[in-house]
Amino acid sequence: MQDIRKESLDGLMSWFEANGEKKFRAKQVWEWLWEKSAKTFDEMSNLSKGLRDKLKEEYSINHIALDNSQLSNDGTIKSAFRLHDKHLIEGVLIPADDRMTACVSSQVGCSLSCKFCATGYMKRERNLDAGEIYDQVVAIRDQAEEHYQKPLSNIVFMGMGEPLLNYKGMMKGIDRITSEDGLNMSPKRITVSTAGIAKMITKLADDEVKFNLALSLHAADDKKRDTIMPINETNTLDALMDSLRYFYEKTGNRITFEYILFYDFNDSIEDAEKLLKYARRVPTRINIIEYNPISEASFSKADPETIDRFANHLIKGGIHTSVRRSRGKDIDAACGQLANKSKVAS
């Protein structure tokens, strides 16, 4: 049966009319699905039992289910979510004094094979649909309220998968998260992180999106970036810059560059100077990220002194720069560590 959440409101109205029901009932169902986050038709208490039974015969609600969760020493919560077809994805709640951030996935696995990322060593099974993206946000929002008595304030698409290779699902998911007849969150509190697909960044600009964009850069040198991110071979730094500048012109949103420092690979002052020159070509800010080692790769993290020296060079060069210390490392919930270490059910 089709997941009812894949229907548009107009499509639901047509179904209700064809089945001899009032159109306004479709709006009630829509509200239950996207504002009240109903998991079953039986929760829809203002519908008759007969109508609920009729909906069950025609549709399903393929809601994700919490498979397990882990609490880090620093308060981070990593959750594995079971999908209706038994695949697993992971999402993370990152608590801080001034915000509660949900890190969500956009795909089951990933196809980009970034050499430093655990997800990149997984097979990409499929894209997530809008309902599955929405469900992660709701589940992590509930965790924030239950564990910290605080509302969810921010969402980052930095979990498993490349969001721009699931453009339709990501965009519809964000629509349901931000719409007044959805979760009504501000798009300014959402950041989509991409490994860098120029034509899709251009499409984001043409669609005049309101959310923020982050580029996982990690090297401002094509040869080095080719080594760790094969996507760069077909999306060079110059091609990416053209799309980023177009994005800024169309949306007015400053781009964030994410830059993981690897020991003795991209952490020299020469590397910092290349990054500085690249970053000056478009209004941007830079997040320096501490590397989180994974068993599949031989990279090591730069030492704290090197990180500070690198960041200070950027700051002195006039670029807004922050150093982001990793969270949830003890439960493999930090940046680049999501890999579904739980087994997929057979």
Side-chain angles (χ1 to χ4, degrees):
M1 289 187 290
Q2 178 179 332
D3 187 340
I4 193 171
R5 295 184 299 180
K6 291 185 178 180
E7 285 276 22
S8 65
L9 180 56
D10 287 342
L12 279 182
M13 286 182 174
S14 296
W15 183 88
F16 273 75
E17 191 173 34
N19 283 271
E21 299 285 348
K22 302 290 187 183
K23 280 187 176 181
F24 78 89
R25 294 293 184 194
K27 292 185 177 179
Q28 290 178 321
V29 171
W30 191 259
E31 179 180 341
W32 276 108
L33 294 172
W34 299 116
E35 292 185 50
K36 299 179 180 179
S37 310
K39 298 179 182 180
T40 68
F41 292 113
D42 288 333
E43 294 176 49
M44 302 178 183
S45 54
N46 57 353
L47 304 183
S48 69
K49 185 178 184 301
L51 178 52
R52 279 179 274 159
D53 289 342
K54 193 182 295 185
L55 286 167
K56 290 177 193 177
E57 292 174 2
E58 187 77 19
Y59 294 109
S60 63
I61 303 176
N62 291 335
H63 199 279
I64 69 173
L66 180 65
D67 191 82
N68 64 77
S69 61
Q70 296 172 271
L71 177 63
S72 168
N73 294 329
D74 62 25
T76 299
I77 300 174
K78 181 176 76 169
S79 299
F81 298 108
R82 185 76 62 182
L83 309 182
H84 73 279
D85 57 4
K86 307 304 181 185
H87 285 302
L88 281 173
I89 56 170
E90 292 181 334
V92 183
L93 171 64
I94 308 166
D97 292 339
D98 61 342
R99 64 183 61 194
M100 288 280 147
T101 301
C103 176
V104 300
S105 295
S106 56
Q107 296 179 311
V108 181
C110 188
S111 61
L112 295 189
S113 304
C114 296
K115 303 306 181 186
F116 52 85
C117 177
T119 312
Y121 289 86
M122 298 174 63
K123 178 183 176 183
R124 190 200 74 84
E125 300 289 350
R126 67 172 177 85
N127 290 334
L128 300 185
D129 63 36
E132 291 165 333
I133 291 171
Y134 168 96
D135 284 347
Q136 290 176 79
V137 173
V138 171
I140 297 172
R141 177 199 66 186
D142 292 347
Q143 289 175 339
E145 293 172 354
E146 177 185 352
H147 288 269
Y148 298 103
Q149 295 74 54
K150 291 182 179 180
L152 190 68
S153 61
N154 296 77
I155 301 168
V156 293
F157 281 74
M158 297 181 184
M160 299 169 66
E162 166 53 57
L164 299 192
L165 292 181
N166 180 17
Y167 196 88
K168 182 178 178 181
M170 176 201 71
M171 291 290 283
K172 186 177 178 184
I174 291 175
D175 174 73
R176 294 293 82 224
I177 292 163
T178 58
S179 293
E180 289 185 6
D181 61 351
L183 298 182
N184 200 26
M185 291 189 69
S186 169
K188 294 295 184 183
R189 293 188 172 274
I190 298 175
T191 298
V192 171
S193 176
T194 176
I197 302 168
K199 68 178 182 179
M200 302 312 294
I201 294 172
T202 299
K203 182 166 176 54
L204 287 175
D206 288 334
D207 287 342
E208 299 182 352
V209 299
K210 304 299 183 186
F211 52 77
N212 304 302
L213 180 65
L215 174 67
S216 293
L217 187 60
H218 313 315
D221 175 293
D222 275 316
K223 288 185 179 179
K224 284 191 177 183
R225 200 164 188 267
D226 287 349
T227 301
I228 58 173
M229 303 179 73
I231 188 67
N232 193 71
E233 295 171 8
T234 52
N235 291 264
T236 65
L237 290 170
D238 283 343
L240 285 174
M241 182 53 68
D242 288 343
S243 66
L244 293 172
R245 293 175 74 171
Y246 183 72
F247 178 88
Y248 179 76
E249 290 169 7
K250 295 282 284 188
T251 67
N253 289 349
R254 184 167 56 163
I255 293 99
T256 297
F257 287 160
E258 297 163 332
Y259 194 99
I260 296 175
L261 280 176
F262 305 104
Y263 172 73
D264 202 26
F265 177 77
N266 65 347
D267 60 350
S268 69
I269 292 301
E270 181 184 357
D271 291 310
E273 185 61 26
K274 288 181 179 179
L275 176 56
L276 192 59
K277 289 179 180 178
Y278 190 73
R280 283 174 176 159
R281 295 168 65 183
V282 65
T284 187
R285 61 173 64 87
I286 297 174
N287 281 341
I288 302 298
I289 302 172
E290 180 184 22
Y291 177 59
N292 305 295
I294 59 172
S295 59
E296 296 87 348
S298 58
F299 296 104
S300 301
K301 66 179 181 179
D303 59 74
E305 294 79 11
T306 299
I307 293 174
D308 290 341
R309 184 167 61 249
F310 193 99
N312 287 334
H313 186 83
L314 299 175
I315 293 168
K316 288 176 182 177
I319 299 294
H320 184 281
T321 303
S322 301
V323 176
R324 199 171 83 201
R325 305 297 179 185
S326 293
R327 304 287 302 277
K329 288 187 287 187
D330 57 314
I331 57 170
D332 292 330
C335 181
Q337 290 187 318
L338 300 187
N340 275 351
K341 291 191 175 181
S342 300
K343 296 291 185 182
V344 176
S346 57

